[in-house]
Amino acid sequence: MVIEWRTGSDGDAGDQHPKRAAEYVRMSTEHQKYSTDNQSAEIRAYAERRGFEIVRTYADEGKSGLRVDGRESFQRLLADIQNGSADFEAILVYDVSRWGRFQDPNEASHYVWLCKSAGINVHFCAEQVENDGSMGSSIVTTVKQVMAGEYSRELSVKVFKGQCRLISLGYRQGGAPGFGLRRMLIDENGNHKGVLDRGEHKSIATDRVVLVPGPQQEVETVREIYRQFVEDGSTERQIAEWLNAEGILSDLDRRWTRGAVHQLLINDKYAGHNVWGRTSYKLKTRHVRNAPSEWIRHNGAFSALVPQALFNQASLIIEQRSKRLTDEEMLVLLADMLKHNGYLSGLIIDEFDHGPSSSAYQSRFGSLLRAYSLVGYVPDHDYRYVDINRALRRLHPSIVKSIIDGINAVGGTAVQILENDTLLVNDEITVSVVIARCTLTRGGSRRWKIRLDESLRPDLTICARMDDENMFALDYYVLPRMTLSEGVLRLADHNGLSLDAFRFESLDGLFDLAKRAQLRKAA
């Protein structure tokens, strides 16, 4: 049963001029073919009942609601509202989940607030409570936003566990099969249904995909690649040249390169193993490179194209190729690459014969940029900011600790909330701490650019401006929430009273505000 909560404006619009409105629809995957049509039908029925005229449609099809990134129509909707070009006074959305499944409900509320502050209300047509700003509406809407985000989180956990389970059973989870292998579609009983060509996918939920040997000629080529590498001592480049001379194309119908041969020699699937989870990208946050102990494996899941002993020998050769070199020897090789090519890149390093891979240089020297600097190479682009940002990230915890210690020293309390790295001061004020890197213009003027996490919405934001060398904090800006209307803050040496009024040489003033004061009891 659906209960409609009606206001005095419900029912026929009468002779009143219809109110102009925009509709926003979104579906998560391309498989939800009719989802946006169904949303639009419900929205238009709502508009007819409430006296709205839909004059604009914003549609994000096949877009996740976890983030704003990638939702071009949603971004355009917000931009139209903020720049004053919106020709409507309301936005009609099917329900809270279509607005977004943000992991922080404050982010969803923030975008609603941006619209409302411009005089444009957001209506959730299928929800049972009006989004009118009342206390009851705010509570229900917030609960709905939390539920929408929690649904995605729980679904992510379930999907990940399901994928791990399928991997452990020996089923393939996405990705190209590779040269010499093919993707075989099997039914729920394990019966083969046919080979999937490039770009083809299974259409029945209970079907699964496994890897099987490809054409015999490709299988023999894979074995010959391993034999030449292990027994003949051929390099990846020599093998690539042999393959190209024989007119053999890669699985992508391209000529072979050293890197392509290298990838074939290090992939466990050629020994018959199913390995998954080398990287992860949960809830659209950021890619994480997982440790080998966290990979999901099923050894012997497929028919091996090469014996395990041969695969192990190839892996050992590649591993020892970098392990047996000292730092000085690796840098000599890097200097030779620079002299031969005139510049350096990860691709050039990976294509170099008898040398370690770019990942080996990263592991040995901390980063490719540091390895470049040790051989006197400076890229055309100034990448020093990468090392500076890395140093500032290491500095951030110490600044946060100094703030906590300062507040505790005057009798206040400060607790770090690990989920979002903010501070809760005296159990009532939320504080975010950011560090602003100093850059110099061509004219020598100092500039600071600060990216703020708009989803946090803390009561106070403490911006520590670094000095010219980005070694020490120059001063601090203690900014209340009301001063932060944009996600990016740009500072110069002098920024006018509207910002510089919040500038302090130290945080002693903040610590004084955190002091607890004894109040006399009322008579």
Side-chain angles (χ1 to χ4, degrees):
M1 179 176 67
V2 176
I3 301 174
E4 285 197 16
W5 297 80
R6 297 182 177 274
T7 65
S9 61
D10 288 353
D12 295 334
D15 296 331
Q16 296 180 357
H17 192 276
K19 295 169 288 187
R20 297 170 66 84
E23 65 172 343
Y24 175 75
V25 294
R26 180 187 65 81
M27 66 180 186
S28 299
T29 67
E30 299 292 353
H31 301 294
Q32 298 171 313
K33 183 177 180 182
Y34 302 107
S35 176
T36 53
D37 292 339
N38 295 338
Q39 294 173 46
S40 185
E42 182 67 25
I43 289 171
R44 291 177 185 274
Y46 178 95
E48 185 177 353
R49 294 195 305 268
R50 304 301 181 91
F52 287 110
E53 176 190 4
I54 297 177
V55 298
R56 190 84 60 242
T57 296
Y58 297 86
D60 280 317
E61 299 182 349
K63 303 296 182 183
S64 168
L66 288 169
R67 300 173 62 184
V68 175
D69 296 351
R71 296 167 61 182
E72 291 84 1
S73 292
F74 189 79
Q75 294 177 17
R76 189 167 63 253
L77 167 64
L78 296 177
D80 290 346
I81 292 172
Q82 291 182 293
N83 63 27
S85 62
D87 58 350
F88 45 83
E89 55 186 290
I91 301 171
L92 307 184
V93 189
Y94 179 72
D95 64 10
V96 170
S97 70
R98 297 304 90 194
W99 187 250
R101 295 189 182 276
F102 304 104
Q103 294 303 289
D104 187 342
N106 291 330
E107 185 173 1
S109 299
H110 172 64
Y111 298 128
V112 173
W113 176 83
L114 285 178
C115 300
K116 190 173 181 179
S117 63
I120 299 175
N121 290 324
V122 179
H123 297 253
F124 299 116
C125 304
E127 302 293 357
Q128 298 177 0
V129 178
E130 293 285 342
N131 185 33
D132 56 8
S134 64
M135 179 179 294
S137 169
S138 298
I139 292 174
V140 173
T141 302
T142 300
V143 171
K144 289 276 190 177
Q145 290 166 347
V146 172
M147 292 171 60
E150 183 65 12
Y151 170 84
S152 292
R153 191 195 68 79
E154 290 183 350
L155 182 62
S156 174
V157 172
K158 292 176 181 178
V159 169
F160 180 76
K161 288 183 177 179
Q163 289 175 316
C164 293
R165 172 66 176 164
L166 292 175
I167 289 295
S168 66
L169 293 175
Y171 299 127
R172 180 75 170 173
Q173 290 294 295
F179 185 83
L181 295 166
R182 295 293 185 271
R183 294 179 301 147
M184 174 63 70
L185 186 66
I186 62 174
D187 62 20
E188 55 186 330
N189 298 316
N191 299 314
H192 288 195
K193 298 180 66 174
V195 172
L196 292 173
D197 290 332
R198 188 186 306 170
E200 291 185 340
H201 304 279
K202 71 185 186 73
S203 57
I204 301 176
T206 55
D207 285 350
R208 297 288 177 252
V209 175
V210 297
L211 292 183
V212 296
Q216 188 61 34
Q217 183 177 359
E218 287 190 19
V219 173
E220 294 298 331
T221 300
V222 170
R223 292 169 179 166
E224 179 62 19
I225 290 172
Y226 273 84
R227 192 199 66 78
Q228 290 188 22
F229 184 73
V230 173
E231 298 179 8
D232 297 347
S234 300
T235 65
E236 290 99 323
R237 181 176 299 281
Q238 290 171 333
I239 295 174
E241 291 173 350
W242 167 73
L243 290 167
N244 293 329
E246 293 291 322
I248 301 173
L249 297 178
S250 71
D251 58 312
L252 300 177
D253 294 330
R254 300 173 182 170
R255 290 175 58 82
W256 289 85
T257 64
R258 178 190 183 277
V261 175
H262 181 78
Q263 289 299 316
L264 188 148
L265 290 169
I266 64 174
N267 202 308
D268 295 79
K269 62 189 176 184
Y270 290 101
H273 309 318
N274 200 16
V275 181
W276 184 76
R278 290 181 172 90
T279 62
S280 56
Y281 184 44
K282 296 179 180 178
L283 293 174
K284 304 291 183 180
T285 51
R286 61 187 181 89
H287 279 97
V288 176
R289 186 177 296 277
N290 299 319
S293 60
E294 298 176 358
W295 297 353
I296 310 301
R297 299 182 62 96
H298 181 175
N299 292 335
F302 315 125
S303 298
L305 300 195
V306 297
Q308 183 67 50
L310 185 61
F311 180 83
N312 291 342
Q313 286 180 284
S315 301
L316 184 62
I317 292 172
I318 294 172
E319 182 181 356
Q320 289 182 339
R321 194 162 55 191
S322 58
K323 275 191 172 181
R324 67 169 178 255
L325 295 177
T326 64
D327 291 358
E328 291 74 14
E329 290 170 333
M330 289 182 68
L331 293 175
V332 168
L333 288 175
L334 194 62
D336 289 342
M337 297 181 221
L338 175 61
K339 181 178 180 181
H340 183 265
N341 295 280
Y343 67 100
L344 293 172
S345 69
L347 180 61
I348 286 176
I349 295 173
D350 287 335
E351 290 292 327
F352 185 73
D353 292 330
H354 304 293
S357 64
S358 58
S359 59
Y361 277 96
Q362 289 177 327
S363 176
R364 183 72 67 88
F365 298 101
S367 69
L368 282 179
L369 292 175
R370 183 169 182 273
Y372 293 166
S373 66
L374 292 174
V375 295
Y377 173 63
V378 179
D380 291 338
H381 297 286
D382 187 358
Y383 290 108
R384 287 176 297 172
Y385 72 90
V386 175
D387 292 326
I388 293 174
N389 286 350
R390 187 179 293 115
L392 294 182
R393 283 195 294 270
R394 291 194 296 266
L395 179 64
H396 186 269
S398 64
I399 292 181
V400 171
K401 184 177 183 302
S402 68
I403 294 173
I404 294 175
D405 292 342
I407 293 174
N408 291 335
V410 298
T413 62
V415 178
Q416 187 172 13
I417 303 173
L418 298 179
E419 287 79 3
N420 53 25
D421 212 21
T422 59
L423 300 179
L424 179 62
V425 178
N426 292 341
D427 294 323
E428 56 186 359
I429 299 175
T430 55
V431 178
S432 176
V433 181
V434 297
I435 299 178
R437 176 173 58 88
C438 179
T439 59
L440 298 178
T441 66
R442 292 184 177 180
S445 301
R446 296 185 296 186
R447 294 291 184 268
W448 295 265
K449 181 178 178 181
I450 307 168
R451 293 190 180 276
L452 303 169
D453 190 339
E454 296 180 90
S455 65
L456 294 179
R457 304 293 292 166
D459 297 311
L460 292 176
T461 298
I462 300 176
C463 301
R465 290 202 310 181
M466 301 303 292
D467 62 5
D468 298 25
E469 300 297 326
N470 288 292
M471 297 294 291
F472 304 100
L474 178 69
D475 52 25
Y476 303 88
Y477 279 72
V478 182
L479 302 167
R481 182 193 302 176
M482 66 183 70
T483 63
L484 302 175
S485 58
E486 298 181 357
V488 177
L489 187 65
R490 293 175 173 83
L491 299 176
D493 281 306
H494 303 287
N495 305 283
L497 185 61
S498 61
L499 281 176
D500 285 344
F502 301 100
R503 189 184 72 83
F504 301 91
E505 298 294 336
S506 70
L507 292 176
D508 292 341
L510 174 69
F511 300 152
D512 289 338
L513 290 175
K515 286 182 179 178
R516 290 297 193 180
Q518 294 291 333
L519 299 178
R520 293 181 181 180
K521 292 184 178 179

